[in-house]
């Protein structure tokens, strides 16, 4: 079953209302009219939109003052005002004639709580009022006319409540909404969500390119202009746009889901565009991060498998028997697993150098802190450095336990490190020193540890390693470029 789209098209609702409605800004300039208003006044958008209400509908003398007082009261006090009857001039088909209207004026509040727009619902009662060609009616007919005028006022009040609720729904909707009028795409309506997306800028009455100058060179202005020409609906999914979120900030990248549909006039021509949508930037960035993590995972798995294969092959070559192979291989794989476990727990996929040392040397710490001494600043290592360096620390620890300082109860290991500059880039300088261990004898064969220190580290992470089998204890000095910087 196809799921029905139940989202409410507020622009369509506005234009479908049978009663005439008009929207003015605080300067009493007309910013929107529904189809019923154009029909009843027999006027076109270009003769109303952007025109002051008193220019579009001249009201002289007492009638003009009554209308102005009503509008200013609504604007300044934020209250509803009803004018049962007042007179103003209309100009249907180019002919000016006096008309009688029954109007209700309603404040529309903005996000700051102030009156941002004025909504007028108007009914032409020229043919119903006794003062317009009805002097000859008998009293019964006149009473009927007054009842009709009363019914119109009741209808106005009912429609007023509906429009107020509609206005609140539009302005407070979580989806962003706006209405653009004319071929130059002038902002006629902007709800709170759209205003927030556009950095709170004043857009009403401005063209798209004036209100959002950063739109120049992007795809969506041309897309909207094409909708105005063709009348075709456009549905955008995860569309990339750039906007200035606040007037003094840098331009930011956004992704939006939106629907842009034409607003049709009485003759079937496109008069504007209604846009409704949602900012899905966080969702898209989450997807992008997931894709990046998956690629990183695939890369790391391949590297890990290659490392395991290399460890197995080298361990087999340097082991005298199966038992020695099993012990050495299990220890090395366990060390590799611990390093990967630490990396996967960190969002940045990094691990501190001290943590690498602690996870290997930790079992040999004593209560007084004499046997193992670690000192140095905080240094975070990216995964491509941490994995081979973790293996090197494991081999150094294993050798110290089997043949070096940790083979004797009074032996101790000191590791000191610092940050230096090497060849114009930051580097980690590490010194590993062993004391009070058994007499040091030159190695008789190259083992896995030697391979890691002398071949793997220089080749994989450009480390410079120097070892010294001094009689007083094993010494190592190592400089590791930090490829990602600190």
């Amino acid at each position: 079953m196809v799921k029905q789209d139940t989202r409410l098209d507020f622009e369509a609702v506005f234009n479908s209302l049978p009663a005439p409605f008009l929207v003015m800004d605080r300067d009493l300039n007309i910013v929107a009219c529904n189809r019923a208003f154009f029909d009843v006044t027999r006027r076109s958008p270009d003769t109303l939109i952007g025109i002051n209400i008193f220019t579009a509908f001249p009201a002289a003398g007492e009638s003009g003052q009554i209308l102005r007082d009503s509008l200013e009261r609504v604007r300044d006090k934020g209250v509803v005002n009803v004018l049962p009857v007042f007179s103003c001039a209309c100009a249907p088909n180019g002919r000016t004639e006096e008309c009688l209207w029954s109007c209700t004026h309603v404040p529309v509040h903005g996000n700051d709580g102030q009156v941002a727009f004025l909504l007028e619902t108007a009914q032409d009662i020229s043919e119903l009022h006794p003062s317009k060609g009805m002097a000859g009616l008998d009293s019964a007919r006149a009473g009927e006319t007054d009842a009709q005028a009363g019914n119109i006022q009741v209808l106005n009040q009912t429609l007023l409540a509906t429009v107020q609720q509609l206005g609140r729904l539009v302005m407070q909707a979580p989806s962003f909404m706006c209405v653009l009028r004319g071929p130059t795409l002038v902002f006629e309506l902007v709800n709170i969500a759209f205003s927030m997306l556009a950095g709170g800028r004043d857009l009403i009455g401005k063209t798209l390119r004036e209100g959002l100058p950063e739109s120049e060179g992007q795809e969506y202005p041309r897309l909207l202009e094409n909708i105005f020409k063709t009348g075709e609906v456009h549905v955008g999914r995860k569309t990339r746009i750039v906007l200035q979120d606040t007037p003094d900030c840098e331009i930011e990248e956004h992704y939006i889901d939106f629907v842009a549909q034409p607003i049709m006039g009485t003759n079937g021509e496109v008069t504007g565009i209604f846009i409704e949508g949602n900012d899905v930037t966080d969702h898209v960035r989450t997807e992008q991060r997931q894709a990046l993590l998956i690629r990183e995972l695939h890369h790391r798995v391949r590297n890990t498998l290659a490392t395991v294969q290399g460890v197995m092959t080298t361990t087999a070559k340097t082991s005298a028997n199966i038992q020695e192979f099993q012990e050495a291989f299990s220890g090395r794989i366990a060390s590799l697993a611990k390093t990967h476990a630490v990396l996967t727990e960190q969002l940045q996929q990094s691990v501190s150098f001290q943590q690498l040392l602690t996870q290997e040397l930790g079992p040999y710490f004593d209560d007084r802190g004499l046997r193992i001494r670690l000192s140095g600043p905080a240094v975070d290592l990216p995964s491509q450095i941490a994995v081979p360096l973790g293996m090197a620390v494991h081999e150094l620890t294993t050798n110290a336990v089997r043949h070096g300082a940790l083979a004797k109860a009074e032996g101790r290991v000191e590791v000191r490190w610092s940050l230096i500059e090497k060849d114009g880039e930051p580097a980690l300088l590490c010194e590993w020193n062993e004391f009070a261990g058994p007499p040091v004898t030159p190695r008789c064969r190259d083992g896995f540890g030697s391979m890691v220190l002398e071949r793997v580290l220089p080749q994989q992470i450009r480390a410079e390693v120097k070892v010294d089998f001094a009689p007083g204890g094993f010494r190592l000095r190592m400089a590791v470029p930090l490829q990602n910087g600190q």
Side-chain angles (χ1 to χ4, degrees):
M1 179 183 296
V2 178
K3 184 177 179 181
Q4 185 177 2
D5 189 349
T6 58
R7 289 178 297 182
L8 185 60
D9 186 340
F10 292 104
E11 180 73 10
V13 172
F14 181 64
N15 277 310
S16 299
L17 293 172
F21 288 92
L22 172 147
V23 181
M24 291 165 275
D25 62 19
R26 290 184 58 85
D27 295 325
L28 308 183
N29 297 317
I30 301 171
V31 297
C33 301
N34 71 345
R35 293 176 188 170
F37 194 93
F38 289 127
D39 292 341
V40 75
T41 60
R42 299 189 292 280
R43 301 280 287 273
S44 59
D46 59 342
T47 64
L48 292 180
I49 303 300
I51 308 298
N52 189 274
I53 186 69
F54 290 100
T55 301
F57 301 100
E62 183 179 1
S63 292
Q65 190 59 47
I66 291 173
L67 176 59
R68 185 175 295 277
D69 290 345
S70 173
L71 294 172
E72 290 179 351
R73 183 167 183 266
V74 173
R75 179 191 64 191
D76 299 337
K77 297 185 178 298
V79 297
V80 177
N81 196 72
V82 179
L83 295 179
V85 179
F86 81 98
S87 173
C88 73
C90 299
N93 301 322
R95 294 179 291 103
T96 301
E97 61 183 48
E98 198 73 13
C99 298
L100 292 178
W101 297 87
S102 175
C103 291
T104 300
H105 297 130
V106 183
V108 179
H109 294 85
N111 194 34
D112 58 359
Q114 302 298 313
V115 176
F117 300 97
L118 290 78
L119 177 69
E120 177 184 276
T121 173
Q123 198 73 31
D124 186 354
I125 59 171
S126 301
E127 300 303 323
L128 299 178
H129 201 274
S131 64
K132 295 294 290 182
M134 292 193 173
L137 292 176
D138 57 23
S139 59
R141 182 68 181 277
E144 179 183 348
T145 300
D146 289 340
Q148 289 175 331
N151 290 338
I152 290 174
Q153 185 170 344
V154 172
L155 176 62
N156 283 344
Q157 295 289 354
T158 302
L159 291 174
L160 169 63
T162 302
V163 170
Q164 285 179 315
Q165 178 66 12
L166 175 63
R168 286 192 293 269
L169 287 172
V170 171
M171 294 305 295
Q172 299 174 9
S175 300
F176 63 75
M177 299 180 189
C178 74
V179 174
L180 301 167
R181 286 287 184 184
T184 58
L185 305 177
V186 177
F187 283 102
E188 181 180 281
L189 181 147
V190 172
N191 77 341
I192 295 171
F194 191 97
S195 179
M196 292 175 63
L197 182 66
R201 283 173 278 187
D202 182 14
L203 299 176
I204 300 300
K206 297 179 181 178
T207 67
L208 177 67
R209 298 179 189 272
E210 290 171 344
L212 304 176
E214 65 270 30
S215 66
E216 192 67 37
Q218 298 190 58
E219 180 63 26
Y220 65 90
R222 291 188 292 273
L223 184 149
L224 296 175
E225 289 166 358
N226 186 63
I227 293 174
F228 192 89
K229 293 177 183 177
T230 64
E232 297 177 352
V233 176
H234 178 83
V235 178
R237 300 296 184 195
K238 301 175 184 176
T239 301
R240 180 184 178 275
I241 63 173
V242 292
L243 290 172
Q244 192 171 7
D245 292 349
T246 58
D248 56 350
C249 77
E250 297 292 330
I251 291 178
E252 297 288 341
E253 180 182 66
H254 291 267
Y255 291 88
I256 59 173
D257 286 347
F258 73 101
V259 177
Q261 57 188 44
I263 300 170
M264 312 304 292
T266 55
N267 298 325
E269 78 282 8
V270 178
T271 61
I273 299 174
F274 174 69
I275 301 173
E276 184 270 337
N278 293 282
D279 187 342
V280 294
T281 303
D282 289 343
H283 177 69
V284 171
R285 287 177 178 166
T286 298
E287 288 184 337
Q288 291 173 341
R289 176 167 176 77
Q290 287 177 338
L292 178 63
L293 289 176
I294 290 173
R295 290 196 297 270
E296 173 66 19
L297 177 62
H298 289 167
H299 176 71
R300 184 169 297 174
V301 167
R302 288 195 297 269
N303 286 348
T304 301
L305 292 175
T307 301
V308 171
Q309 185 176 16
V311 169
M312 181 186 69
T313 302
T314 307
T315 304
K317 289 180 180 179
T318 57
S319 298
N321 52 57
I322 288 295
Q323 183 177 357
E324 183 179 333
F325 168 79
Q326 289 177 334
E327 291 177 358
F329 184 66
S330 297
R332 287 160 184 164
I333 295 302
S335 174
L336 186 63
K338 284 189 288 186
T339 302
H340 277 282
V342 173
L343 287 169
T344 55
E345 291 173 359
Q346 301 297 321
L347 185 62
Q348 292 79 16
Q349 299 290 290
S350 64
V351 60
S352 73
F353 181 57
Q354 183 162 349
Q355 192 168 2
L356 285 183
L357 294 167
T358 301
Q359 73 182 12
E360 294 294 340
L361 291 169
Y364 309 102
F365 281 32
D366 63 322
D367 294 338
R368 294 183 297 168
L370 299 177
R371 199 173 192 208
I372 304 295
R373 293 181 179 179
L374 307 178
S375 62
V379 180
D380 285 333
L381 304 173
S383 60
Q384 63 267 32
I385 297 178
V387 172
L389 206 54
M391 293 179 62
V393 172
H394 172 75
E395 293 303 317
L396 289 169
T397 303
T398 301
N399 287 337
V401 171
R402 290 181 176 177
H403 314 292
L406 298 181
K408 297 181 67 175
E410 63 273 18
R412 69 182 192 275
V413 174
E414 292 185 2
V415 184
R416 303 180 185 276
W417 67 93
S418 60
L419 287 171
I420 63 170
E421 185 173 302
K422 184 176 184 296
D423 299 329
E425 61 179 315
L428 169 69
L429 176 63
C430 172
E431 294 179 317
W432 176 294
N433 297 311
E434 299 182 18
F435 304 93
V440 176
T441 57
R443 61 193 178 192
C444 58
R445 62 175 179 173
D446 291 335
F448 183 80
S450 299
M451 182 200 71
V452 171
L453 294 173
E454 298 175 4
R455 291 170 51 190
V456 174
L457 294 187
Q459 292 176 5
Q460 288 193 7
I461 58 176
R462 298 184 293 131
E464 184 179 291
V465 182
K466 295 181 179 179
V467 297
D468 181 12
F469 294 90
F474 176 77
R475 305 283 187 268
L476 174 137
R477 181 183 173 89
M478 173 172 55
V480 182
L482 300 175
Q483 298 170 344
N484 289 351
Q486 296 299 314

